[in-house]
Amino acid sequence: MSDTGAVESGSLGATTAPSAALTRSLAPGSLFRPISAEDEEQQPTEIDSLCMNCYRNGVTRLLLTKIPFFREIIVSSFSCEHCGWTNTEIQSAGRIQDQGVRYTLTVKAQEDMNREVVKTDSASTRIPELDFEIPAFSQKGALTTVEGLISRAISGLEQDQPTRRASEETIAERIDEFIVKLKELKQLASPFTLIIDDPSGNSFVENPFAPQKDDALLITHYTRTSKQDEMLGLQAEVPEEKPKEDDLKNEVLQFNTNCPECGAPAQTNMKLVQIPHFKEVIIMATNCENCGHRTNEVKSGGAVEPLGTRITLYVTDSSDMTRDLLKSETCSVEIPELEFELGMAILGGKFTTLEGLLKDIRELVTKNPFTLGDSSSPGQAEKLQEFSNKLDQIIKGNMKAHFVMDDPAGNSYLQNVYAPEDDPEMKVERYKRTFDQNEELGLNDMKTEGYETDLAPQR
C-alpha cells in the first residue's frame, strides 16, 4: 500500500464532509465499502474546491471506505493543477469512541513495515528506542503504513534543514544524525517498538492474522482523563459532590480562641495541607489584633507511624537551605559538628525550610535569658558567639555539616529534591521504638481494641 499521508502542507482547500452529490452517487447502505484495489465501483468523488496556496480552483477527491476489522473512514486528497499544491488526510466517519486506544507494535520483519496504519490527528506516535515522539495534533490524520509513518517523519525533519544549516549548524547536525537513525529503522537494522496512542479511539494498526491474535501487536483500551476530554473538545463531566473530608483540603477553617500572650479573644486559622511524597499535616496560625502576637504550629494529620524515623542530611551547599521541612512536636534535632542537640517539644511543630529552622535555633540559643546578663557564666558569651558564627557558615553553605532529625512518632519530613529517586545526600532510617520512647509518646497504656467490652456495665 502506498503512503497516502507522505505529503502534507496544510489544511484542505474544501470541506471533507461527504457532499449531497457523493451521497446520491452511491446506493443506500453502500456508502462505505471495504477497502480494496479490485473494487471497480469504489471510485472517489471529485469536488471543485479552493486552493489555499494560490487561491485558484483545485480538486478534492473523497473516498468513503471501511477498514476490515476496524471502522469507516473518509480519505481526502487535494491537488491544484495551477501551482502543484497537494495535501492528503483522513477523518474518522464515526464518533469519538467511549475509550482511548493504544497500539504497541514490535516491528521485526518487512511484513510489519507494510502493515496498514490509520493515524488520526489526535494520536501521538512514539518510538522508545530512539526516544522519539510525534505529539498529538502536530500532523494531519493519515492512512498509511508503518514505513510510511517513518518516511513522513523523515520528510518533516528534512524540510527545514537547509535553513538550519545556515543559522543553527549544531542543531542541523544533530537532526542529520537522527534522520540517519530513522532511515536505519526503515532498513530494519534492529527490531523496534512503535506506539500509537489515540485518546479518541479512532486510530488503527492492521492485524494481518485477524481474527486471530497477533503476538507482535498489543492493543490497550483505556479511560480518558479530563484533560484528554478537553483536548478532544468533549464536555467535561460534572464532578460529583465531594465528601466533607475533601472540602476541608480546599478550605481554611477558623475557630475562636484566646491569645496566649494577652488573653484577649482571637481567631485561629487551620488548614489541611498535603505534603508531596509524605502525608497530610494541619497548619494552625493565630494572629492577635489586640497585642499583635502571632504564632503558628504544625501537627500531623495522621496517626503515629508503626516505626520511628531518623533522617540524616549531609549539608554541602546553600541550596540545601531551601528544602521544605516538617518538624513535629516529637522530633529532636542534632548537629554533630556543632555538638548541638535540640530536644523534643522545643520550638514545637514547624513547617518551614531548613534555613528557617536553623535561624529559629540560632535565635532560641543566643537569646536565651539564662545565657545573657548576670545569669551567664564566664566565657558563655564567647561560646554562644562561636556557635552562632558556625551556624551562619552552615546556612551560607561555607561549612559542611550533618543535620539529623529523629522522630519516634515518624511524623517528621525533610524534602527529597530528587523524589521519587533516592537523594544521595540524605539517609532515611526506620527503626522500632524502645519501651521508653513508647512510654513518652503515651502508647504503652493506649488501648484501641476491645474497650467497648471494658466499658460495658457489669451485671
Side-chain angles (χ1 to χ4, degrees):
M1 174 180 173
S2 62
D3 177 17
T4 61
V7 180
E8 178 182 329
S9 304
S11 60
L12 290 172
T15 176
T16 54
S19 64
L22 174 63
T23 305
R24 289 194 299 269
S25 66
L26 294 173
S30 61
L31 278 177
F32 297 90
R33 299 177 184 273
I35 187 169
S36 173
E38 300 176 356
D39 189 354
E40 298 181 356
E41 296 182 5
Q42 189 178 32
Q43 298 295 331
T45 299
E46 297 185 356
I47 304 173
D48 290 338
S49 52
L50 180 67
C51 175
M52 301 306 295
N53 187 48
C54 67
Y55 299 101
R56 301 171 74 177
N57 274 347
V59 177
T60 296
R61 294 175 176 84
L62 297 176
L63 178 65
L64 280 65
T65 186
K66 182 177 181 180
I67 304 292
F69 302 101
F70 186 49
R71 58 178 59 92
E72 297 86 0
I73 63 170
I74 302 172
V75 183
S76 55
S77 174
F78 174 81
S79 61
C80 178
E81 62 179 8
H82 304 288
C83 66
W85 179 280
T86 60
N87 192 8
T88 60
E89 66 177 270
I90 68 106
Q91 291 183 354
S92 173
R95 62 180 180 83
I96 294 177
Q97 305 305 307
D98 295 333
Q99 291 184 312
V101 66
R102 184 184 301 110
Y103 293 91
T104 304
L105 174 66
T106 303
V107 181
K108 299 179 180 179
Q110 188 60 41
E111 291 78 9
D112 296 325
M113 298 291 288
N114 295 331
R115 290 177 186 244
E116 293 178 356
V117 174
V118 175
K119 177 187 173 297
T120 68
D121 52 2
S122 62
S124 62
T125 305
R126 289 194 296 121
I127 301 178
E129 287 79 1
L130 298 185
D131 195 20
F132 175 67
E133 180 174 1
I134 303 175
F137 298 105
S138 61
Q139 291 182 344
K140 293 292 184 181
L143 172 60
T144 179
T145 62
V146 174
E147 183 178 1
L149 280 179
I150 299 175
S151 299
R152 195 180 190 194
I154 293 173
S155 298
L157 292 173
E158 288 178 338
Q159 184 175 1
D160 296 327
Q161 279 297 84
T163 305
R164 293 192 191 99
R165 292 190 183 96
S167 59
E168 300 173 327
E169 186 176 353
T170 304
I171 296 177
E173 290 177 355
R174 290 183 179 178
I175 293 178
D176 283 334
E177 294 174 0
F178 193 82
I179 290 175
V180 171
K181 294 180 181 179
L182 287 175
K183 290 181 178 179
E184 289 176 352
L185 288 185
K186 291 179 62 176
Q187 302 301 324
L188 280 178
S190 61
F192 66 92
T193 305
L194 175 70
I195 301 174
I196 297 179
D197 192 334
D198 187 358
S200 73
N202 285 326
S203 289
F204 169 76
V205 176
E206 179 191 7
N207 173 7
F209 307 101
Q212 280 77 30
K213 180 182 178 182
D214 186 351
D215 294 333
L217 182 63
L218 175 64
I219 304 175
T220 306
H221 296 274
Y222 61 87
T223 302
R224 284 186 295 270
T225 63
S226 56
K227 185 176 181 180
Q228 288 172 326
D229 281 336
E230 183 180 353
M231 179 183 68
L232 295 172
L234 300 177
Q235 184 177 2
E237 295 183 2
V238 179
E240 297 180 0
E241 185 178 353
K242 296 181 179 179
K244 294 182 179 180
E245 293 80 6
D246 289 344
D247 291 341
L248 294 178
K249 298 178 182 179
N250 304 317
E251 184 179 354
V252 177
L253 303 179
Q254 292 184 336
F255 57 90
N256 296 324
T257 184
N258 291 326
C259 174
E261 196 70 23
C262 67
Q267 278 193 333
T268 296
N269 297 325
M270 181 180 74
K271 190 177 190 306
L272 284 172
V273 177
Q274 176 67 45
I275 298 180
H277 307 288
F278 188 52
K279 60 172 67 174
E280 283 184 346
V281 297
I282 302 173
I283 299 179
M284 295 188 294
T286 303
N287 186 10
C288 180
E289 296 181 356
N290 185 53
C291 68
H293 178 72
R294 300 176 65 182
T295 181
N296 62 76
E297 189 176 0
V298 177
K299 294 183 179 294
S300 171
V304 175
E305 295 293 317
L307 299 175
T309 303
R310 181 181 175 88
I311 305 173
T312 303
L313 173 67
Y314 184 45
V315 181
T316 56
D317 56 57
S318 58
S319 64
D320 290 325
M321 295 296 109
T322 61
R323 293 176 185 250
D324 291 331
L325 175 148
L326 171 63
K327 176 195 172 299
S328 73
E329 294 179 332
T330 58
C331 179
S332 61
V333 176
E334 183 181 355
I335 305 176
E337 286 77 4
L338 302 185
E339 297 182 357
F340 171 79
E341 184 174 356
L342 182 73
M344 293 194 322
I346 301 178
L347 289 179
K350 281 187 173 292
F351 183 46
T352 177
T353 61
L354 180 55
E355 180 181 6
L357 182 62
L358 292 179
K359 287 183 176 180
D360 288 342
I361 290 175
R362 181 181 59 188
E363 184 176 356
L364 174 70
V365 174
T366 56
K367 294 186 178 181
N368 190 331
F370 294 101
T371 60
L372 301 173
D374 297 337
S375 301
S376 62
S377 58
Q380 187 74 22
E382 289 79 2
K383 290 182 179 180
L384 288 178
Q385 186 61 39
E386 182 182 358
F387 174 83
S388 179
N389 291 338
K390 288 183 178 180
L391 205 55
D392 282 337
Q393 293 300 313
I394 295 176
I395 293 174
K396 294 177 181 178
N398 298 329
M399 177 179 175
K400 297 181 179 180
H402 289 82
F403 179 80
V404 184
M405 298 174 62
D406 192 345
D407 187 356
N411 287 327
S412 293
Y413 160 84
L414 183 60
Q415 182 186 11
N416 173 6
V417 294
Y418 297 91
E421 305 296 332
D422 292 335
D423 190 333
E425 304 296 341
M426 188 168 72
K427 181 181 180 182
V428 180
E429 303 172 84
R430 310 286 182 183
Y431 62 87
K432 187 176 181 180
R433 287 184 291 268
T434 63
F435 179 87
D436 292 338
Q437 287 174 324
N438 283 329
E439 184 71 20
E440 192 168 0
L441 295 173
L443 299 177
N444 289 332
D445 298 326
M446 184 179 293
K447 188 172 184 179
T448 59
E449 296 178 358
Y451 57 88
E452 296 92 345
T453 304
D454 294 343
L455 296 177
Q458 300 292 329
R459 293 183 179 178

